[in-house]
Amino acid sequence: MTDHTASVPAQTEGMEQGPPQVLGVSDSAPPQVLGVSDSAPPQVVGGQQNGRLGRPLLLLPEEERLLAELHATANANQGGGGVQLSLEVKQHLEEQERSLEEQRVLALQDRKSALLHAMTSSHTGSLGPSEALRGRLEALHRSFTFPRGAMAVQLSTARAGLHHCHEDRAFLRAQQPITAQHDSKAAARYQVFRDLRGRGFYLTSAGKFGGDFLVYPGDPLRFHAHFIAVVLSLDSSLSPLDVLAIARLGSNVKKTVLLCSPGGVQYPGGAGGVQYTSLQWSGMV
Amino acid sequence: MSEASHRAEEAPNWILVHPAYQDIKSLEVEDSAQVHAAFLVYMDLSEVRRWKEVSCVKSPELQVVLLEGREKEGAPIQTVFPLPTHRPLSHQSIRHVLDRGFPMLLCAVASDSTLVYQRMTDGLVTPDPPTGPFQDLGRRQHRKRRKQQ
């Protein structure tokens, strides 16, 4: 699983209020916490941050807030772990058995069809060997074994977030207090951030494209971003020319511009609704 | 010379007497700039692009003229929202137009009557993937490029 190179995140008191950083992160950080790698300033304790512990991750303020919230809720849910765990183990074993059975059936089918192919291809047109063929098929059916060692096991490498590994969660606790953001836009950005994260997207900042977030369908190292998310409140007004400009930019880089506004009517009573509008190339020259 | 100027004086009135303009006017939308924009878009859709069944309708929430039409016979109805470029646009108004349930086009009308259409869709629409054929450059190609630089 994960390989921790250090167990104690360094303290950073005495540093001035900079962007939130997570220190001491091992290379295999849980997915979706992207941050941006940055060299630590030399005041950090021991001066060993770059070399031994790895460079710190610079987090988006939204990422920091989400981490803090996850940590808080996870601490609240620590109880009942034992029962949950044994249930999961039982489910896992049952799944393995089912997978083994399926694979056994498929393997036998494969063998039979291979045998059929071998027999019929060498005796094309003659009816004599059909007896021998049937005999061999029956012998195969009787003697076929599918050892457990031959079973293929699927390992899901995309993890479901921070729910599984609480050591990583403790590790990624942002050390500085949350940089208070007083502008009203921050709340809107955070809501959109959480909603998109909830749908399984990876998000980074989109300064290069004049937007708020870049939305990736998976690991940014493996995919190009699909969307440029622009966060705005439902009633804030912009010029149609600005809309055209950013839509044009999106078309040029093969990304869809997404206008995101929190406050959907789909979720009455819930603050979780976000309305999305995609801007696409019209094709009307 | 005088004939040309005489014609120029009469020319602006052709819009006011045009039946389509009068249809739009009858919707009683107060924003005259938006009404004018709607007329220009109407003419573009019906005469230039030859859309079918182009009609105008008033949006009660937004107090603007919207146009509906089909790109071709049998194509689905689309809503077109004409908007002068100096008017503000909010996400809320876009949602109102989308709520009508048809595919939506925003048409920005510039002061020189240039029309620019922008497709707007509800939800997250994945962009088209890059088109092939994808060819890995051989080493020779790569060296050529580096030399050119």
Side-chain angles (χ1 to χ4, degrees), chain A:
Chain A
M1 269 226 315
T2 56
D3 171 25
H4 303 301
T5 50
S7 51
V8 177
Q11 299 298 319
T12 54
E13 344 186 46
M15 266 182 72
E16 59 216 60
Q17 198 80 321
Q21 296 185 345
V22 176
L23 307 175
V25 174
S26 61
D27 284 323
S28 50
Q32 295 194 321
V33 176
L34 294 167
V36 167
S37 236
D38 187 48
S39 293
Q43 300 106 300
V44 172
V45 164
Q48 290 180 344
Q49 188 60 32
N50 284 352
R52 223 161 44 86
L53 301 174
R55 291 179 298 178
L57 282 183
L58 260 185
L59 300 178
L60 291 176
E62 290 81 23
E63 282 179 322
E64 180 197 7
R65 190 166 157 187
L66 188 64
L67 274 179
E69 282 185 14
L70 278 180
H71 191 72
T73 52
N75 277 342
N77 298 343
Q78 277 305 351
V83 172
Q84 182 69 13
L85 199 61
S86 62
L87 188 65
E88 280 177 7
V89 168
K90 188 154 156 281
Q91 277 177 352
H92 177 76
L93 289 175
E94 281 170 5
E95 271 174 37
Q96 293 285 317
E97 283 303 316
R98 243 180 289 136
S99 171
L100 181 65
E101 277 311 308
E102 278 176 25
Q103 287 184 39
R104 176 182 290 130
V105 168
L106 289 173
L108 184 56
Q109 274 177 18
D110 261 348
R111 278 282 204 92
K112 281 185 178 172
S113 66
L115 184 62
L116 212 63
H117 184 77
M119 295 288 284
T120 50
S121 63
S122 48
H123 302 284
T124 44
S126 51
L127 295 169
S130 62
E131 284 292 335
L133 181 62
R134 242 185 296 130
R136 287 187 66 166
L137 278 176
E138 278 175 30
L140 177 65
H141 196 94
R142 261 179 280 122
S143 64
F144 184 73
T145 54
F146 188 66
R148 197 166 271 273
M151 180 175 80
V153 177
Q154 183 178 34
L155 300 171
S156 45
T157 47
R159 294 192 295 187
L162 292 173
H163 299 286
H164 295 295
C165 14
H166 50 262
E167 308 97 29
D168 282 342
R169 229 185 356 246
F171 218 55
L172 287 182
R173 196 174 44 220
Q175 286 300 104
Q176 288 173 339
I178 291 188
T179 43
Q181 293 197 314
H182 296 295
D183 55 337
S184 49
K185 213 183 168 219
R189 274 180 60 129
Y190 182 66
Q191 233 186 307
V192 171
F193 180 83
R194 258 222 319 218
D195 190 73
L196 286 173
R197 268 289 188 86
R199 292 172 190 243
F201 292 108
Y202 287 64
L203 301 170
T204 58
S205 74
K208 290 182 206 167
F209 297 100
D212 285 295
F213 301 113
L214 278 181
V215 185
Y216 294 80
D219 190 335
L221 289 178
R222 292 174 52 217
F223 294 90
H224 284 298
H226 279 180
F227 304 104
I228 301 170
V230 175
V231 176
L232 68 168
S233 68
L234 277 171
D235 49 12
S236 66
S237 60
L238 20 134
S239 159
L241 295 176
D242 290 336
V243 174
L244 293 180
I246 197 165
R248 186 82 182 215
L249 170 59
S251 302
N252 282 358
V253 294
K254 292 195 182 62
K255 299 183 203 311
T256 300
V257 174
L258 212 54
L259 300 178
C260 317
S261 295
V265 289
Q266 306 99 299
Y267 304 103
V274 180
Q275 308 236 41
Y276 296 104
T277 306
S278 296
L279 302 181
Q280 292 173 274
W281 184 243
S282 72
M284 298 169 74
V285 184

Side-chain angles (χ1 to χ4, degrees), chain B residues 17-109:
Chain B
V17 303
H18 197 287
Y21 184 78
Q22 286 172 346
D23 277 344
I24 294 174
K25 201 89 169 97
S26 69
L27 297 172
E28 291 179 356
V29 168
E30 285 180 2
D31 186 349
S32 57
Q34 205 268 333
V35 165
H36 182 77
F39 176 73
L40 294 176
V41 179
Y42 180 98
M43 295 301 279
D44 182 59
L45 291 178
S46 55
E47 304 294 330
V48 180
R49 297 179 189 274
R50 306 276 182 184
W51 277 31
K52 312 296 173 206
E53 300 170 31
V54 187
S55 64
C56 54
V57 65
K58 177 174 177 177
S59 160
E61 311 98 342
L62 303 177
Q63 291 292 304
V64 292
V65 179
L66 295 176
L67 301 175
E68 287 181 349
R70 297 176 197 274
E71 208 171 318
K72 283 192 296 232
E73 209 71 55
I77 291 249
Q78 299 187 53
T79 307
V80 184
F81 179 11
L83 190 65
T85 49
H86 58 270
R87 287 279 181 268
L89 179 65
S90 72
H91 197 189
Q92 183 73 280
S93 35
I94 297 174
R95 299 306 304 184
H96 275 309
V97 181
L98 281 172
D99 282 343
R100 302 182 81 241
F102 305 120
M104 172 187 173
L105 282 169
L106 170 78
C107 185
V109 182

